[in-house]
Amino acid sequence: MKNNNKPLTLKKVAEILNCSTATISNAFNRPDQLSAALREKILTECKRIGYHGPNLTARSLRKGESGVIAVLLTDSLAYHFTDPVANQLLQGISEVLEKNNKQLLMLSSATNAQQTSGIEALPDGFIVYGSQDHNPLFERVVQQGKPIITIDFDIDEYPSVNIDNQQAAFDIANHVLEKKPESPAILGLRLIHSDRVCRITDDELFDENESISRRRLDGYLKAAEQHNYQIKSNRIWHVPKNTYELAKQAAHEALTSHPLPDCLICMSDNIASAALNIAREMNIRVPEQLKIVGFDDIPEASRLSPPLTTICQKSREKGKTAALKLIQGKLQDKTILPSQLVIRSSS
Amino acid sequence: MKNNNKPLTLKKVAEILNCSTATISNAFNRPDQLSAALREKILTECKRIGYHGPNLTARSLRKGESGVIAVLLTDSLAYHFTDPVANQLLQGISEVLEKNNKQLLMLSSATNAQQTSGIEALPDGFIVYGSQDHNPLFERVVQQGKPIITIDFDIDEYPSVNIDNQQAAFDIANHVLEKKPESPAILGLRLIHSDRVCRITDDELFDENESISRRRLDGYLKAAEQHNYQIKSNRIWHVPKNTYELAKQAAHEALTSHPLPDCLICMSDNIASAALNIAREMNIRVPEQLKIVGFDDIPEASRLSPPLTTICQKSREKGKTAALKLIQGKLQDKTILPSQLVIRSSS
DNA sequence: TTGAAAGCGCTAACAC
DNA sequence: GTGTTAGCGCTTTCAA
């Protein structure tokens, strides 16, 4: 099974089959350039001698395309594998790529921090997930002049796939505030730049910022206003990353703060799930004593007890849409995908 | 921001900076070949004019290495993103790759089914996850003669990373059978080749097969024997893939079968989680009326109610180990990682 | 320390 | 329908 010979090259194959390299190349790339019979014969022969087609590196150097699509992620790859939302997104992307015979290369700014590998030259296109401020790799990607589509954030010149985060956030906050909780609090994701779980301050509250977190926060606060709530900045927690550990920490802080919240509006299902967990540990009944709502509708959301009220944002669909547009070269517009309030028993 | 110019080439840069291509190349690749001052100057200059280093495709064609490591997966990529175990594995792998400035290429047999892209020529090494019977891509990978390490299965000539599945399965079955259930059943993963959830038959029961599923089954049955249980083949369900939907289906079938099982030995936490879910729906109390144990110790396992008794197999560590060995060229041995029975309240 | 040049494996334009 | 060949961008040997 093991193999230590060098793989065959097109040139050698041409020698063996006693014809020119162009003919072999054509057999693989341009069926119309030679007779079907000859092509068939060459292909069979190649299979027999163990030549599986042209080398990607050489072909890509020559043609300037590789069949590889890259996903550019903000954080470390490892983190994105833990995040259920990123996961669904990647599912959607890879479904489309596989169907279209494209390869998936995962790129993160974490990798190329110091040494540049030049990897950005390889892919034929890029799906960029999440804000890329100060990411040097992103700048090199832009330099390639290849198709780019962004997800969950916008850059003027590039097509993007998004949902209406503000409206969705408004909807879910509106839903839960209609129940007239006495002391609502917000567990927000990536609201500020700190690495720590913490509350935010008044001057941070009205930051101008186009990130999805800020749009969601705006939606929450708009709903609060309509219901005559004033949610102060010290009732808003910042969770730096969407991990279960950090979420638990924030939930614990919130549920041991005074006044005790009877309503937690969470910016991700992951955070909501952690909050549910803490509430159970503290023997706080949900939804009777505490209402909890999430965001995203990850698969786990409907399996929790109680099942989570949340915003269904079809991350998988987002991934599929972005990948499809990229592959089909439909790179004009900004796409807004629908999202939807899903009411379950946690509220 | 958008860029439509072609990226600079080393040759053009040499012209602009008025020196030879070799010097530029050396500045990037071999600092010892030129004065530090000159190198510094070249690097700064390159940055200024927007040359970010040599093109990967060309460099890789020339040097025969790319800085890319591929993970070869059995199923579709999309499936592997849904599977929490694969997920943890990929986390571990990507942690190590990022630390070592390697890129991650995800390859699945699903992609290259028909058309060959030659992608297998690019990576410097391969991490192969899960049995690769009849996978044509795997054969092409082998042909490359590049380093290969396998996870969760073995091929004689190649290094591998595994756990002792039989022992682990024995341990957990032994634990739960000590409670003297009256009617234990097994929910097994990928026991046979069928696509459907179904029970297995007597002649399939003693299949000779080196897959992890069979080793686990052997462990279960060995424990059963020691406790004088005879678990018949019609008490063993086959779940074709580790998805929640299929797991629910199997759990439902098992919990509506006669005699009603009072103990479910599940081959994955995912299956156990689904079983827990069905049990709740049917108002069967766990662990009083029904004991459930899983396998893997995925993060969710400890958050379920009741928390799941399972085998902790540190998938993340498996990924890290494999990636590290591959990168460091430690390709001699078969590694068996420890695993551990974790008793929680589901049993 | 630097420059010239061969060639990695392939594709496509062009000639036959 | 088939063969010849330039050159994609780079690294590295060898000579200066």
Side-chain angles (χ1 to χ4, degrees), chain B residues 9-10 25 29 51 55 58-59 62:
Chain B
T9 68
L10 195 149
S25 175
N29 300 305
Y51 181 72
N55 172 294
R59 156 187 260 176
R62 176 63 228 237

mmCIF file of all heavy atoms in Angstrom, chain B residues 9-10 25 29 51 55 58-59 62, chain D residues 7-15:
data_model
loop_
_atom_site.group_PDB
_atom_site.id
_atom_site.type_symbol
_atom_site.label_atom_id
_atom_site.label_comp_id
_atom_site.label_asym_id
_atom_site.label_seq_id
_atom_site.Cartn_x
_atom_site.Cartn_y
_atom_site.Cartn_z
ATOM 1 N N THR B 9 4.956 40.457 -8.886
ATOM 2 C CA THR B 9 5.762 39.239 -8.891
ATOM 3 C C THR B 9 7.174 39.585 -8.430
ATOM 4 O O THR B 9 7.586 40.743 -8.468
ATOM 5 C CB THR B 9 5.862 38.643 -10.306
ATOM 6 O OG1 THR B 9 6.632 39.525 -11.114
ATOM 7 C CG2 THR B 9 4.495 38.454 -10.916
ATOM 8 N N LEU B 10 7.844 38.544 -8.058
ATOM 9 C CA LEU B 10 9.212 38.720 -7.567
ATOM 10 C C LEU B 10 10.086 39.397 -8.629
ATOM 11 O O LEU B 10 10.945 40.230 -8.322
ATOM 12 C CB LEU B 10 9.761 37.343 -7.205
ATOM 13 C CG LEU B 10 11.018 37.242 -6.368
ATOM 14 C CD1 LEU B 10 10.962 35.986 -5.539
ATOM 15 C CD2 LEU B 10 12.227 37.226 -7.251
ATOM 16 N N SER B 25 14.423 36.844 -3.488
ATOM 17 C CA SER B 25 14.045 35.525 -2.981
ATOM 18 C C SER B 25 14.797 35.211 -1.692
ATOM 19 O O SER B 25 14.214 34.755 -0.715
ATOM 20 C CB SER B 25 14.339 34.465 -4.043
ATOM 21 O OG SER B 25 14.095 33.182 -3.525
ATOM 22 N N ASN B 29 13.616 34.076 1.962
ATOM 23 C CA ASN B 29 13.806 32.674 2.335
ATOM 24 C C ASN B 29 15.108 32.354 3.057
ATOM 25 O O ASN B 29 15.141 31.420 3.828
ATOM 26 C CB ASN B 29 13.737 31.793 1.088
ATOM 27 C CG ASN B 29 12.413 31.914 0.390
ATOM 28 O OD1 ASN B 29 11.378 31.710 1.000
ATOM 29 N ND2 ASN B 29 12.436 32.267 -0.886
ATOM 30 N N TYR B 51 4.257 44.142 -2.007
ATOM 31 C CA TYR B 51 4.609 42.757 -2.330
ATOM 32 C C TYR B 51 4.699 41.988 -1.021
ATOM 33 O O TYR B 51 5.525 42.279 -0.167
ATOM 34 C CB TYR B 51 5.942 42.687 -3.080
ATOM 35 C CG TYR B 51 6.344 41.282 -3.454
ATOM 36 C CD1 TYR B 51 5.679 40.594 -4.460
ATOM 37 C CD2 TYR B 51 7.396 40.640 -2.798
ATOM 38 C CE1 TYR B 51 6.052 39.303 -4.803
ATOM 39 C CE2 TYR B 51 7.772 39.355 -3.132
ATOM 40 C CZ TYR B 51 7.088 38.690 -4.134
ATOM 41 O OH TYR B 51 7.448 37.411 -4.473
ATOM 42 N N ASN B 55 4.734 33.965 -4.256
ATOM 43 C CA ASN B 55 3.501 33.263 -4.598
ATOM 44 C C ASN B 55 3.591 31.789 -4.219
ATOM 45 O O ASN B 55 4.537 31.097 -4.556
ATOM 46 C CB ASN B 55 3.286 33.420 -6.106
ATOM 47 C CG ASN B 55 2.163 32.578 -6.618
ATOM 48 O OD1 ASN B 55 2.248 31.363 -6.601
ATOM 49 N ND2 ASN B 55 1.108 33.225 -7.064
ATOM 50 N N ALA B 58 3.761 28.980 -7.181
ATOM 51 C CA ALA B 58 5.062 28.874 -7.836
ATOM 52 C C ALA B 58 6.099 28.272 -6.893
ATOM 53 O O ALA B 58 6.854 27.370 -7.255
ATOM 54 C CB ALA B 58 5.516 30.249 -8.304
ATOM 55 N N ARG B 59 6.110 28.780 -5.706
ATOM 56 C CA ARG B 59 7.066 28.281 -4.719
ATOM 57 C C ARG B 59 6.863 26.791 -4.470
ATOM 58 O O ARG B 59 7.814 26.020 -4.367
ATOM 59 C CB ARG B 59 6.854 29.070 -3.421
ATOM 60 C CG ARG B 59 7.311 28.355 -2.205
ATOM 61 C CD ARG B 59 6.925 29.123 -0.971
ATOM 62 N NE ARG B 59 8.078 29.863 -0.487
ATOM 63 C CZ ARG B 59 8.034 30.685 0.539
ATOM 64 N NH1 ARG B 59 6.875 30.915 1.138
ATOM 65 N NH2 ARG B 59 9.108 31.292 0.951
ATOM 66 N N ARG B 62 8.050 24.700 -7.270
ATOM 67 C CA ARG B 62 9.507 24.637 -7.289
ATOM 68 C C ARG B 62 10.058 23.791 -6.137
ATOM 69 O O ARG B 62 10.903 22.929 -6.325
ATOM 70 C CB ARG B 62 10.037 26.068 -7.207
ATOM 71 C CG ARG B 62 11.524 26.252 -7.114
ATOM 72 C CD ARG B 62 12.222 25.731 -8.355
ATOM 73 N NE ARG B 62 13.317 24.901 -7.943
ATOM 74 C CZ ARG B 62 14.578 25.084 -8.279
ATOM 75 N NH1 ARG B 62 14.907 26.034 -9.129
ATOM 76 N NH2 ARG B 62 15.521 24.306 -7.817
ATOM 77 P P DG D 7 8.047 33.527 -23.987
ATOM 78 O OP1 DG D 7 7.507 34.822 -24.462
ATOM 79 O OP2 DG D 7 9.501 33.306 -23.812
ATOM 80 O "O5'" DG D 7 7.336 33.159 -22.613
ATOM 81 C "C5'" DG D 7 5.917 33.173 -22.549
ATOM 82 C "C4'" DG D 7 5.512 32.580 -21.227
ATOM 83 O "O4'" DG D 7 5.674 31.146 -21.263
ATOM 84 C "C3'" DG D 7 6.386 33.044 -20.038
ATOM 85 O "O3'" DG D 7 5.527 33.249 -18.943
ATOM 86 C "C2'" DG D 7 7.279 31.860 -19.778
ATOM 87 C "C1'" DG D 7 6.288 30.759 -20.055
ATOM 88 N N9 DG D 7 6.828 29.414 -20.185
ATOM 89 C C8 DG D 7 8.079 29.019 -20.569
ATOM 90 N N7 DG D 7 8.223 27.716 -20.564
ATOM 91 C C5 DG D 7 6.986 27.228 -20.144
ATOM 92 C C6 DG D 7 6.529 25.910 -19.942
ATOM 93 O O6 DG D 7 7.139 24.857 -20.091
ATOM 94 N N1 DG D 7 5.197 25.878 -19.500
ATOM 95 C C2 DG D 7 4.421 26.995 -19.306
ATOM 96 N N2 DG D 7 3.170 26.784 -18.886
ATOM 97 N N3 DG D 7 4.827 28.231 -19.504
ATOM 98 C C4 DG D 7 6.116 28.266 -19.917
ATOM 99 P P DC D 8 5.582 34.534 -18.066
ATOM 100 O OP1 DC D 8 5.111 35.689 -18.825
ATOM 101 O OP2 DC D 8 6.931 34.509 -17.459
ATOM 102 O "O5'" DC D 8 4.557 34.245 -16.884
ATOM 103 C "C5'" DC D 8 3.161 34.030 -17.105
ATOM 104 C "C4'" DC D 8 2.673 33.037 -16.087
ATOM 105 O "O4'" DC D 8 3.029 31.720 -16.523
ATOM 106 C "C3'" DC D 8 3.347 33.199 -14.726
ATOM 107 O "O3'" DC D 8 2.540 34.032 -13.910
ATOM 108 C "C2'" DC D 8 3.382 31.774 -14.164
ATOM 109 C "C1'" DC D 8 3.204 30.874 -15.400
ATOM 110 N N1 DC D 8 4.347 29.980 -15.738
ATOM 111 C C2 DC D 8 4.156 28.598 -15.797
ATOM 112 O O2 DC D 8 3.050 28.131 -15.543
ATOM 113 N N3 DC D 8 5.202 27.801 -16.134
ATOM 114 C C4 DC D 8 6.399 28.348 -16.412
ATOM 115 N N4 DC D 8 7.389 27.523 -16.755
ATOM 116 C C5 DC D 8 6.606 29.754 -16.359
ATOM 117 C C6 DC D 8 5.568 30.520 -16.013
ATOM 118 P P DG D 9 3.137 35.392 -13.328
ATOM 119 O OP1 DG D 9 2.013 36.136 -12.757
ATOM 120 O OP2 DG D 9 4.040 36.022 -14.309
ATOM 121 O "O5'" DG D 9 4.046 34.851 -12.142
ATOM 122 C "C5'" DG D 9 3.442 34.209 -11.041
ATOM 123 C "C4'" DG D 9 4.524 33.645 -10.159
ATOM 124 O "O4'" DG D 9 5.221 32.607 -10.882
ATOM 125 C "C3'" DG D 9 5.593 34.648 -9.733
ATOM 126 O "O3'" DG D 9 5.644 34.617 -8.324
ATOM 127 C "C2'" DG D 9 6.864 34.164 -10.408
ATOM 128 C "C1'" DG D 9 6.587 32.685 -10.583
ATOM 129 N N9 DG D 9 7.279 32.057 -11.690
ATOM 130 C C8 DG D 9 7.568 32.612 -12.913
ATOM 131 N N7 DG D 9 8.186 31.795 -13.730
ATOM 132 C C5 DG D 9 8.308 30.623 -13.001
ATOM 133 C C6 DG D 9 8.892 29.384 -13.365
ATOM 134 O O6 DG D 9 9.410 29.068 -14.433
ATOM 135 N N1 DG D 9 8.799 28.448 -12.322
ATOM 136 C C2 DG D 9 8.215 28.693 -11.105
ATOM 137 N N2 DG D 9 8.221 27.681 -10.230
ATOM 138 N N3 DG D 9 7.668 29.848 -10.751
ATOM 139 C C4 DG D 9 7.752 30.763 -11.747
ATOM 140 P P DC D 10 6.790 35.286 -7.475
ATOM 141 O OP1 DC D 10 6.248 35.625 -6.156
ATOM 142 O OP2 DC D 10 7.482 36.307 -8.276
ATOM 143 O "O5'" DC D 10 7.755 34.054 -7.271
ATOM 144 C "C5'" DC D 10 7.348 33.012 -6.396
ATOM 145 C "C4'" DC D 10 8.234 31.823 -6.585
ATOM 146 O "O4'" DC D 10 8.491 31.665 -7.981
ATOM 147 C "C3'" DC D 10 9.615 31.951 -5.970
ATOM 148 O "O3'" DC D 10 9.536 31.386 -4.660
ATOM 149 C "C2'" DC D 10 10.487 31.095 -6.867
ATOM 150 C "C1'" DC D 10 9.651 30.880 -8.120
ATOM 151 N N1 DC D 10 10.285 31.252 -9.400
ATOM 152 C C2 DC D 10 11.000 30.286 -10.095
ATOM 153 O O2 DC D 10 11.130 29.160 -9.606
ATOM 154 N N3 DC D 10 11.542 30.606 -11.299
ATOM 155 C C4 DC D 10 11.368 31.835 -11.802
ATOM 156 N N4 DC D 10 11.910 32.104 -13.003
ATOM 157 C C5 DC D 10 10.648 32.843 -11.109
ATOM 158 C C6 DC D 10 10.134 32.512 -9.917
ATOM 159 P P DT D 11 10.795 31.577 -3.671
ATOM 160 O OP1 DT D 11 10.315 31.235 -2.317
ATOM 161 O OP2 DT D 11 11.416 32.886 -3.941
ATOM 162 O "O5'" DT D 11 11.783 30.441 -4.157
ATOM 163 C "C5'" DT D 11 11.420 29.093 -3.933
ATOM 164 C "C4'" DT D 11 12.530 28.204 -4.431
ATOM 165 O "O4'" DT D 11 12.854 28.515 -5.805
ATOM 166 C "C3'" DT D 11 13.843 28.305 -3.658
ATOM 167 O "O3'" DT D 11 14.278 26.974 -3.477
ATOM 168 C "C2'" DT D 11 14.756 29.103 -4.578
ATOM 169 C "C1'" DT D 11 14.246 28.671 -5.953
ATOM 170 N N1 DT D 11 14.391 29.611 -7.104
ATOM 171 C C2 DT D 11 14.881 29.111 -8.279
ATOM 172 O O2 DT D 11 15.236 27.963 -8.437
ATOM 173 N N3 DT D 11 14.938 30.038 -9.311
ATOM 174 C C4 DT D 11 14.557 31.362 -9.273
ATOM 175 O O4 DT D 11 14.653 32.067 -10.271
ATOM 176 C C5 DT D 11 14.047 31.821 -8.000
ATOM 177 C C7 DT D 11 13.612 33.232 -7.846
ATOM 178 C C6 DT D 11 13.996 30.936 -6.980
ATOM 179 P P DT D 12 15.410 26.623 -2.400
ATOM 180 O OP1 DT D 12 14.986 25.385 -1.735
ATOM 181 O OP2 DT D 12 15.720 27.835 -1.631
ATOM 182 O "O5'" DT D 12 16.653 26.296 -3.327
ATOM 183 C "C5'" DT D 12 16.469 25.398 -4.421
ATOM 184 C "C4'" DT D 12 17.685 25.450 -5.305
ATOM 185 O "O4'" DT D 12 17.565 26.538 -6.251
ATOM 186 C "C3'" DT D 12 19.003 25.686 -4.560
ATOM 187 O "O3'" DT D 12 19.978 24.879 -5.162
ATOM 188 C "C2'" DT D 12 19.291 27.157 -4.811
ATOM 189 C "C1'" DT D 12 18.770 27.274 -6.250
ATOM 190 N N1 DT D 12 18.451 28.646 -6.709
ATOM 191 C C2 DT D 12 18.540 28.909 -8.064
ATOM 192 O O2 DT D 12 18.870 28.089 -8.889
ATOM 193 N N3 DT D 12 18.222 30.194 -8.405
ATOM 194 C C4 DT D 12 17.837 31.227 -7.545
ATOM 195 O O4 DT D 12 17.578 32.344 -7.979
ATOM 196 C C5 DT D 12 17.771 30.869 -6.152
ATOM 197 C C7 DT D 12 17.361 31.908 -5.140
ATOM 198 C C6 DT D 12 18.071 29.615 -5.795
ATOM 199 P P DT D 13 21.171 24.267 -4.247
ATOM 200 O OP1 DT D 13 20.624 23.045 -3.647
ATOM 201 O OP2 DT D 13 21.775 25.318 -3.389
ATOM 202 O "O5'" DT D 13 22.228 23.853 -5.382
ATOM 203 C "C5'" DT D 13 21.725 23.289 -6.597
ATOM 204 C "C4'" DT D 13 22.455 23.894 -7.780
ATOM 205 O "O4'" DT D 13 21.972 25.226 -8.037
ATOM 206 C "C3'" DT D 13 23.970 24.013 -7.575
ATOM 207 O "O3'" DT D 13 24.615 23.379 -8.662
ATOM 208 C "C2'" DT D 13 24.235 25.511 -7.516
ATOM 209 C "C1'" DT D 13 23.073 26.053 -8.357
ATOM 210 N N1 DT D 13 22.644 27.453 -8.077
ATOM 211 C C2 DT D 13 22.475 28.317 -9.135
ATOM 212 O O2 DT D 13 22.669 28.007 -10.293
ATOM 213 N N3 DT D 13 22.065 29.579 -8.782
ATOM 214 C C4 DT D 13 21.806 30.057 -7.493
ATOM 215 O O4 DT D 13 21.433 31.204 -7.324
ATOM 216 C C5 DT D 13 22.011 29.091 -6.438
ATOM 217 C C7 DT D 13 21.773 29.502 -5.019
ATOM 218 C C6 DT D 13 22.417 27.851 -6.766
ATOM 219 P P DC D 14 26.224 23.013 -8.532
ATOM 220 O OP1 DC D 14 26.408 21.719 -9.199
ATOM 221 O OP2 DC D 14 26.705 23.233 -7.142
ATOM 222 O "O5'" DC D 14 26.863 24.151 -9.444
ATOM 223 C "C5'" DC D 14 26.228 24.483 -10.686
ATOM 224 C "C4'" DC D 14 26.758 25.821 -11.144
ATOM 225 O "O4'" DC D 14 26.029 26.887 -10.494
ATOM 226 C "C3'" DC D 14 28.242 26.051 -10.836
ATOM 227 O "O3'" DC D 14 28.921 26.311 -12.052
ATOM 228 C "C2'" DC D 14 28.246 27.222 -9.870
ATOM 229 C "C1'" DC D 14 26.934 27.927 -10.207
ATOM 230 N N1 DC D 14 26.347 28.725 -9.107
ATOM 231 C C2 DC D 14 25.728 29.949 -9.407
ATOM 232 O O2 DC D 14 25.693 30.330 -10.581
ATOM 233 N N3 DC D 14 25.198 30.689 -8.388
ATOM 234 C C4 DC D 14 25.265 30.242 -7.137
ATOM 235 N N4 DC D 14 24.709 30.993 -6.182
ATOM 236 C C5 DC D 14 25.884 28.999 -6.815
ATOM 237 C C6 DC D 14 26.405 28.276 -7.814
ATOM 238 P P DA D 15 30.533 26.538 -12.041
ATOM 239 O OP1 DA D 15 31.089 25.643 -13.068
ATOM 240 O OP2 DA D 15 31.064 26.536 -10.659
ATOM 241 O "O5'" DA D 15 30.607 28.019 -12.595
ATOM 242 C "C5'" DA D 15 29.606 28.491 -13.518
ATOM 243 C "C4'" DA D 15 29.653 30.006 -13.537
ATOM 244 O "O4'" DA D 15 28.953 30.527 -12.377
ATOM 245 C "C3'" DA D 15 31.078 30.566 -13.469
ATOM 246 O "O3'" DA D 15 31.182 31.656 -14.383
ATOM 247 C "C2'" DA D 15 31.222 31.010 -12.024
ATOM 248 C "C1'" DA D 15 29.794 31.444 -11.697
ATOM 249 N N9 DA D 15 29.459 31.384 -10.275
ATOM 250 C C8 DA D 15 29.771 30.390 -9.380
ATOM 251 N N7 DA D 15 29.340 30.614 -8.167
ATOM 252 C C5 DA D 15 28.695 31.846 -8.268
ATOM 253 C C6 DA D 15 28.017 32.635 -7.322
ATOM 254 N N6 DA D 15 27.876 32.294 -6.036
ATOM 255 N N1 DA D 15 27.504 33.811 -7.754
ATOM 256 C C2 DA D 15 27.644 34.151 -9.039
ATOM 257 N N3 DA D 15 28.259 33.479 -10.020
ATOM 258 C C4 DA D 15 28.759 32.329 -9.560
#
